[in-house]
Amino acid sequence: MSRLLNIDWNDVATFVTVAQTGNLSVASKSMHISQPTIGRRIARLEERIDLILFHKGPTGYDLTPAGKEILPTALKIIDEQFNFQREIKKTKEIMQPTLRIFSGEWMTPLIADILPEINKLAGKDLNVLIETGRQPTQDAILPNDIVIMNDPVDLNSFVLRRLGQAPYAVFGSQNYLDQHPESSKERRYEEGHWAIVNQLTQLGEAAVTNYEWGYPELGPNTTIYRSTSVLSMMTLLKQGKAMGFVPLFIGSKTKDLIQFSDEIQSLEHTYWLVYRSDSPYIDQVKKITAVLSEHLVDSLHIT
């Protein structure tokens, strides 16, 4: 029991990431820590709980039966950590008002372009915080939050701005295409190397969702590199190790990437900007959402 009380919950998060990716290199890039550190964390967790969690196989790290058994509980622990962080943020919202802007990793660079203007509009009364990669569920959206999401929420107490539809396509490097000419044809879905993003995308009671929405079915002869980070995925694409599904507003502007496919209809998403109508700083929120909407519509390849 004493060893269980000494568990480092960062080790649990590392276990979840390696379990999802099956690859230390991808997990390392996703978590921004070295592979030896990941290895030490896994070994330390295994020692603390007295279980072997992984077998190193020819294609990466495979979960043992014990690892498969505890993974759902580990995911719940990560969920509770998010809930705990949400409660902390609620308390800080009371003590020191913060305007949070939630967006996926694809959108964040576009928001960063106008962050000085956003800060100026927020004024001295509000701190501005960009929350990247995860969305709050409807019940977790605070009065001063602005959320960019794919699915609109219940209109009660919320204001919605439709930004438009953003198309996706398959992108990769010229080097990858030279080595795998089938990548420019429909055969790409039956063979080849793919970088896929898996993310915990929501904060709140519906905490774990899969980011693989709408992906075309990939055949059994494909090799799939899974990551919890868009940055890791893009690194694999630029290095010529894989191809991946990328929104046109990113892929078409990214050096070293070229478009392999036409737009993929199943991946086209409608983006919405959402905020609450009961914010005590509603004037600032309205001005900021207006600036965000104009900038994003101008920056995205959307219709």
Side-chain angles (χ1 to χ4, degrees), residues 32 56 60 65 72 89 91 145-146 182 185 210 218 220 225 257 261 301:
H32 306 291
K56 187 174 181 181
K89 288 174 181 175
T91 302
D145 289 346
I146 298 172
E182 72 279 359
K185 304 174 183 178
N210 195 317
L218 302 179
Y225 304 116
L257 290 188
S261 75
H301 289 180

Side-chain angles (χ1 to χ4, degrees), residues 5 73 97 113 125 138 204-205 215 285:
L5 292 176
T73 301
D113 289 341
D125 295 331
Q138 182 172 330
E205 294 180 1
Y215 288 165
V285 170

Side-chain angles (χ1 to χ4, degrees), residues 94-137:
I94 296 171
M95 302 302 295
Q96 186 176 18
T98 298
L99 185 145
R100 300 185 300 173
I101 302 176
F102 288 86
S103 76
E105 288 185 82
W106 296 124
M107 288 282 194
T108 302
L110 302 180
I111 297 173
D113 289 341
I114 58 170
L115 191 54
E117 185 175 358
I118 292 173
N119 275 318
K120 184 177 180 180
L121 291 172
K124 297 181 180 180
D125 295 331
L126 283 171
N127 292 324
V128 176
L129 176 65
I130 308 299
E131 294 271 8
T132 302
R134 296 184 177 90
Q135 287 184 356
T137 53

Side-chain angles (χ1 to χ4, degrees), residues 229-258:
S229 165
V230 166
L231 177 61
S232 298
M233 170 191 165
M234 293 294 283
T235 299
L236 290 171
L237 267 57
K238 291 178 182 179
Q239 290 177 347
K241 296 180 180 178
M243 52 189 158
F245 304 103
V246 180
L248 262 64
F249 66 83
I250 293 293
S252 63
K253 299 177 182 178
T254 301
K255 184 181 179 181
D256 301 326
L257 290 188
I258 58 176

Side-chain angles (χ1 to χ4, degrees), residues 165-171 183 185-186 188-189 194 196 213-218 243-248 259-269:
Q165 292 180 312
Y168 282 63
V170 178
F171 282 84
S183 303
K185 304 174 183 178
E186 289 299 308
R188 71 176 76 90
Y189 301 119
W194 289 88
I196 300 293
W213 30 247
Y215 288 165
E217 184 175 352
L218 302 179
M243 52 189 158
F245 304 103
V246 180
L248 262 64
Q259 187 172 335
F260 289 176
S261 75
D262 294 332
E263 296 177 11
I264 301 172
Q265 296 298 319
S266 64
L267 283 178
E268 190 171 86
H269 283 69

Side-chain angles (χ1 to χ4, degrees), residues 48-64:
R48 292 279 167 79
I49 65 177
D50 197 23
L51 290 171
I52 301 300
L53 302 175
F54 294 102
H55 289 311
K56 187 174 181 181
T59 60
Y61 279 71
D62 300 320
L63 284 169
T64 64

Side-chain angles (χ1 to χ4, degrees), residues 24-33 35 38 227 229 231-232 235-236 239 241:
L24 287 192
S25 176
V26 176
S28 173
K29 290 183 175 67
S30 175
M31 300 187 73
H32 306 291
I33 57 178
Q35 291 186 44
I38 288 180
S227 171
S229 165
L231 177 61
S232 298
T235 299
L236 290 171
Q239 290 177 347
K241 296 180 180 178

